[in-house]
Amino acid sequence: METRKGKPRILTGDTPTGRLHLGHWVGSVERRVQLQGDYDCYFLLANMHAFTTRADQPAEIRRDTIEIVKDWLAAGIDPERSTIVLQTEVPAIAELTWYFAMLLSFNDVMGNPTLVHELETKGLAGKHSFGFPMYAVGQCADILAFRPVYVPVGEDQEPHIEMCRKAARKFDQLYCGVPDRTRDEDYEKAGGVFPIPRALIGRVGRLPGVGDGRQKMSKSLNNAIFLSDDPRDVQKKINRITTGRQSPTEPGDPDNVLFEFVEAFIADEGRVAELKDRYRRGDNLGDGHVKQEVAAAINTLLEPMRARRAQFDRPGGDDVIVDIIRAGTGRANATAEETLYMAKKAMKLDFGRRVLG
Ligand code: ATP
Ligand code: MG
């Protein structure tokens, strides 16, 4: 799809439930930074969705919203080239959520494996709000409001993107007369309002956390290394990884969490192969040494981010961030309102075009 800038669009985003961590970097943010030049990028702050689990913590949601933007800028997202979108100030998203909620079945939503898994791991099963599962429907609207071709996300998001694709197909078939055997890439050509967007999974689709076990690194699970952590915290957290290996001369199986970090963060492939080989043979390579190399590699990655972040971590820094959010959201509303109008026209709801602002 061509845009006003003549580039195909991308949308993705994060929920302000905490700061960004290394899982976000390898799963999605690294990709975003790389794609900014060739795509018209929209990066969404899903602050409305943060209320699904933290309705009693509005101040924390506001703080995390601002912190995530600092993390994005620190990571290399350029607000001049990319559009930063605040979900709660884009009314078209909330409206589209209602329409998509009619196109997905109750079982589609409640059976979504990521949603089911989140209810379990976040201790919400049996006590979640009515609104919690709505976020999955809302996410279809977040994405489709911008009619993107790609959605760069981590592996856990695949079921959500599949649901979004389903909603888009259904809408185009029902209201735009697109035949149901149309190939996904041809929906717009066939008269559909919505393209069928594709997930772009990051270099590492699922980074584990630093706790025990292989849970994914997550803001909500207290097992994350944050992009804004200082070098000592990085080392301390890496030291929390357990492998069960007893001594540097014990042959080890590098199919473990520690080596997932080695592969994700040590850029030199020759060195990675050498470490794995020596680990397998028990060639005098202790876990402690591997952890030091991993922490050093992570700190090399994070150092320029810390320097960029420091520009905003000072008095007045938050105001600069709020201005960036406002400017991006203004641009985003132009696109989302256009989409909403197209959708409403297709649904015979075009009783006059609304102007925001
Ligand atoms: P929460 O605990 O609030 O769900 P989260 O840490 O899972 O937070 P999200 O805001 O849900 O983070 O995810 C933002 C993006 O980062 C998504 O594209 C998601 O797939 C990706 N992501 C999150 N955690 C990881 C991870 N451990 N590995 C790879 N990608 C990840
Ligand atoms: Mg999540």
Side-chain angles (χ1 to χ4, degrees):
M1 219 214 55
E2 294 301 296
T3 67
R4 64 182 187 283
K5 287 197 214 159
K7 292 175 182 168
R9 289 198 193 124
I10 279 184
L11 176 124
T12 189
D14 304 300
T15 320
T17 44
R19 293 184 176 203
L20 291 194
H21 53 67
L22 290 173
H24 295 115
W25 172 254
V26 292
S28 176
V29 178
E30 183 180 34
R31 256 295 179 40
R32 300 179 202 174
V33 173
Q34 290 162 354
L35 295 173
Q36 295 187 97
D38 295 329
Y39 292 85
D40 182 17
C41 295
Y42 292 82
F43 300 130
L44 182 95
L45 296 156
N47 61 334
M48 194 180 282
H49 293 187
F51 280 83
T52 60
T53 52
R54 303 170 88 191
D56 57 341
Q57 299 170 49
E60 285 81 355
I61 295 173
R62 188 188 179 89
R63 183 203 60 214
D64 289 339
T65 302
I66 288 172
E67 292 302 325
I68 283 190
V69 177
K70 289 184 190 173
D71 282 331
W72 284 352
L73 303 182
I77 285 173
D78 172 2
E80 298 292 321
R81 288 194 290 170
S82 298
T83 303
I84 290 177
V85 189
L86 185 68
Q87 193 179 42
T88 45
E89 291 306 315
V90 182
I93 292 175
E95 290 178 57
L96 287 168
T97 301
W98 268 92
Y99 304 131
F100 291 128
M102 267 28 110
L103 301 182
L104 295 163
S105 76
F106 185 77
N107 291 339
D108 275 341
V109 179
M110 298 315 295
N112 177 310
T114 296
L115 205 71
V116 172
H117 183 74
E118 270 184 296
L119 288 173
E120 279 168 21
T121 53
K122 294 180 181 172
L124 294 169
K127 50 185 174 199
H128 63 82
S129 64
F130 182 75
F132 182 78
M134 276 295 285
Y135 99 78
V137 182
Q139 196 175 313
C140 300
D142 295 335
I143 296 170
L144 294 173
F146 298 93
R147 288 170 285 137
V149 286
Y150 291 125
V151 189
V153 283
E155 242 169 55
D156 64 309
Q157 290 291 315
E158 269 181 321
H160 287 326
I161 307 301
E162 214 32 71
M163 218 168 84
C164 166
R165 289 157 58 81
K166 197 167 183 176
R169 287 189 203 103
K170 189 88 180 277
F171 186 102
D172 287 346
Q173 290 170 15
L174 206 57
Y175 300 121
C176 313
V178 175
D180 66 359
R181 284 198 311 277
T182 304
R183 291 188 319 172
D184 281 345
E185 51 276 32
D186 294 335
Y187 265 69
E188 282 180 296
K189 249 187 280 164
V193 166
F194 297 107
I196 315 301
R198 283 173 43 200
L200 262 191
I201 306 295
R203 179 165 65 82
V204 180
R206 184 188 178 285
L207 186 73
V210 290
D212 36 1
R214 277 188 157 172
Q215 293 268 42
K216 86 168 186 122
M217 185 175 283
S218 167
K219 288 177 248 133
S220 311
L221 298 177
N222 193 24
N223 64 2
I225 296 178
F226 297 102
L227 302 186
S228 49
D229 277 346
D230 66 33
R232 279 191 40 223
D233 279 338
V234 169
Q235 183 70 64
K236 268 208 276 199
K237 289 183 179 180
I238 286 293
N239 290 348
R240 270 164 53 186
I241 298 173
T242 50
T243 67
R245 191 162 165 263
Q246 304 297 332
S247 88
T249 50
E250 178 185 324
D253 180 0
D255 179 21
N256 63 21
V257 171
L258 180 55
F259 271 83
E260 286 194 55
F261 278 82
V262 168
E263 298 214 7
F265 298 106
I266 296 184
D268 178 349
E269 286 176 22
R271 182 63 185 154
V272 173
E274 188 186 346
L275 287 173
K276 272 185 166 173
D277 178 54
R278 285 183 53 198
Y279 197 81
R280 258 193 216 99
R281 290 189 288 109
D283 178 19
N284 199 25
L285 180 67
D287 280 19
H289 178 85
V290 180
K291 287 177 184 174
Q292 262 174 25
E293 272 195 49
V294 169
I298 291 171
N299 281 323
T300 304
L301 168 74
L302 297 186
E303 200 41 54
M305 297 190 199
R306 292 183 190 115
R308 276 194 293 267
R309 196 178 218 285
Q311 298 171 49
F312 304 104
D313 277 337
R314 55 173 171 76
D318 286 10
D319 298 338
V320 176
I321 299 294
V322 170
D323 284 346
I324 289 173
I325 293 174
R326 282 211 188 103
T329 304
R331 290 205 297 277
N333 264 320
T335 306
E337 285 291 303
E338 185 191 11
T339 305
L340 181 67
Y341 189 66
M342 288 161 72
K344 282 182 152 176
K345 228 157 82 179
M347 296 175 80
K348 315 270 181 252
L349 291 171
D350 52 329
F351 290 96
R353 187 156 186 179
R354 175 177 73 192
V355 179
L356 283 184

